[in-house]
Amino acid sequence: MKTMINLTTSAGDLSRFSSAKDLRDFYQRFGCAGLELMPLPAEDVQLEKQILSPDMIVGVHTNSLGDWMYKDRPWLLEHFRRDLVYAQQVQAEYVVFHVSQVTDKEAFTYQMQHRDEEVIWEACHLINQLLEEQSYSFYFLLENLWWPGLTFLDPAMTKLLLENIHYEKKGLMLDTGHFLHTHRKLKNQQEAISCLHAMLDTHQELLPFIKGVHLQQSLTGSYVNHWLENPPVLESDPEKRFCQVFTHIFAIDRHEPFTDPGVRDLIARIQPLYLTYEYITRDREEHARYLRAGSQALGYFPL
């Protein structure tokens, strides 16, 4: 199993490090083999060249879109192909792709317009268009969210997704935190780990397809319940609405480390090829604290 840290090419992320050696030393302290990188539109090309080396990049996370099903198909294909071409250029071992559909209004109200099956069929059509007649060498890993699409709540839907993607090196990227957001009554990490094991029980025959894990947690069900009891008005101004939705989503999905030692048995059961400590942090020091806590829970004790 290879372990990674997540990073983007934003100047805010890259400026945490003084050089490629500094970044490499940082993640190796926590037993990590490299990066799962999200390549954002270039902000500082010189900084990217200074900090990133292609051999660091084990996985590439595509730039996901929440509300995509009714967008122009050629535009969508071009949007995602940029990331796939980048992944092939840096010889990434895997690519991550969200299978989900949600509008701003749905994220606010939790009143969804589509069933999982509808989103999965549309995603299959798009993914097959992206991957057919290509000579990519990476795994294409499908990630769950808590919106309509791949949620891991119904193994029949997970199986439907896998069976209808034609790419040979397909698999699943289980995001533990995203799955936990489908169960808003969870109170602690012990309950969260039990909930994940129960999901794996129902997906027993599909466990070999879970090639990767985004290991993170945030038990924010009480926040969502309070939000739905006191729903704010969605801003009409696009910029204000973006900030409003962005803040709301990351209040739900805080990407914090698992610290309960029971997570070790969870990962041993899944036996993924790839594990990413996927955290959202404000600075390098917080990232290091999260990585220390998360890696220690898995039995690695950094110096």
Side-chain angles (χ1 to χ4, degrees):
M1 179 179 77
K2 288 186 178 181
T3 57
M4 279 71 63
I5 70 169
N6 65 302
L7 200 71
T8 75
T9 57
S10 70
D13 275 0
L14 297 181
S15 62
R16 297 180 182 187
F17 308 98
S18 61
S19 65
K21 181 182 183 302
D22 185 32
L23 171 57
R24 197 184 304 272
D25 289 346
F26 178 80
Y27 63 69
Q28 287 182 343
R29 281 173 52 201
F30 304 99
C32 293
L35 309 175
E36 183 180 298
L37 186 74
M38 182 179 288
L40 303 175
E43 293 183 8
D44 189 331
V45 174
Q46 190 58 40
L47 183 62
E48 282 189 40
K49 290 179 179 179
Q50 177 186 342
I51 303 300
L52 293 176
S53 174
D55 67 304
M56 296 176 174
I57 304 168
V58 180
V60 168
H61 196 308
T62 59
N63 285 268
S64 60
L65 300 168
D67 181 12
W68 59 271
M69 280 176 52
Y70 301 105
K71 291 190 182 298
D72 178 71
R73 183 55 58 95
W75 182 90
L76 274 175
L77 292 171
E78 178 61 24
H79 171 85
F80 288 114
R81 278 181 179 143
R82 284 195 296 269
D83 291 343
L84 302 188
V85 169
Y86 178 86
Q88 191 73 355
Q89 287 174 342
V90 299
Q91 299 182 355
E93 296 181 25
Y94 70 90
V95 163
V96 181
F97 187 93
H98 284 173
V99 179
S100 182
Q101 159 68 26
V102 66
T103 65
D104 291 348
K105 184 177 180 181
E106 288 172 307
F108 260 50
T109 64
Y110 274 58
Q111 296 175 9
M112 304 302 165
Q113 301 174 32
H114 300 285
R115 295 176 291 110
D116 291 345
E117 185 173 1
E118 295 175 83
V119 178
I120 285 170
W121 276 117
E122 287 297 322
C124 288
H125 294 321
L126 176 63
I127 292 166
N128 286 332
Q129 282 186 282
L130 276 172
L131 301 179
E132 283 176 341
E133 300 182 5
Q134 302 298 322
S135 56
Y136 297 133
S137 58
F138 45 70
Y139 281 104
F140 193 82
L141 303 185
L142 308 153
E143 182 180 352
N144 60 298
L145 276 96
W146 62 103
W147 312 118
L150 175 62
T151 62
F152 284 113
L153 289 173
D154 183 351
M157 292 295 101
T158 311
K159 190 173 183 180
L160 179 72
L161 176 63
L162 288 168
E163 287 180 341
N164 287 282
I165 289 176
H166 305 154
Y167 188 71
E168 183 178 355
K169 293 184 69 175
K170 61 192 171 185
L172 301 169
M173 174 63 76
L174 168 61
D175 189 300
T176 54
H178 292 172
F179 177 73
L180 298 177
H181 301 327
T182 65
H183 292 73
R184 302 206 300 267
K185 294 182 179 180
L186 297 172
K187 296 292 190 291
N188 54 56
Q189 290 190 28
Q190 291 82 9
E191 289 184 4
I193 292 169
S194 294
C195 184
L196 283 158
H197 274 295
M199 180 275 290
L200 296 177
D201 290 343
T202 67
H203 280 76
Q204 188 65 40
E205 69 173 299
L206 299 176
L207 291 190
F209 284 97
I210 303 179
K211 305 296 184 185
V213 173
H214 284 169
L215 190 60
Q216 57 101 355
Q217 61 83 24
S218 46
L219 302 176
T220 53
S222 59
Y223 164 83
V224 175
N225 291 335
H226 178 76
W227 176 278
L228 295 176
E229 290 168 3
N230 305 273
V233 176
L234 189 62
E235 294 280 359
S236 57
D237 177 83
E239 283 192 25
K240 291 182 179 178
R241 184 170 59 208
F242 174 82
C243 293
Q244 190 182 25
V245 172
F246 185 89
T247 301
H248 170 55
I249 295 300
F250 287 104
I252 300 171
D253 197 27
R254 287 159 45 179
H255 286 253
E256 296 174 342
F258 264 107
T259 56
D260 188 276
V263 75
R264 201 176 309 178
D265 288 338
L266 180 77
I267 298 304
R269 178 179 181 183
I270 299 170
Q271 296 186 358
L273 296 176
Y274 308 106
L275 183 145
T276 300
Y277 298 111
E278 192 182 47
Y279 302 141
I280 296 174
T281 56
R282 288 165 289 193
D283 51 43
R284 176 173 174 154
E285 290 70 27
E286 184 174 57
H287 199 176
R289 288 197 301 273
Y290 278 23
L291 285 166
R292 183 176 297 276
S295 60
Q296 286 180 349
L298 287 185
Y300 183 84
F301 294 91
L303 297 175

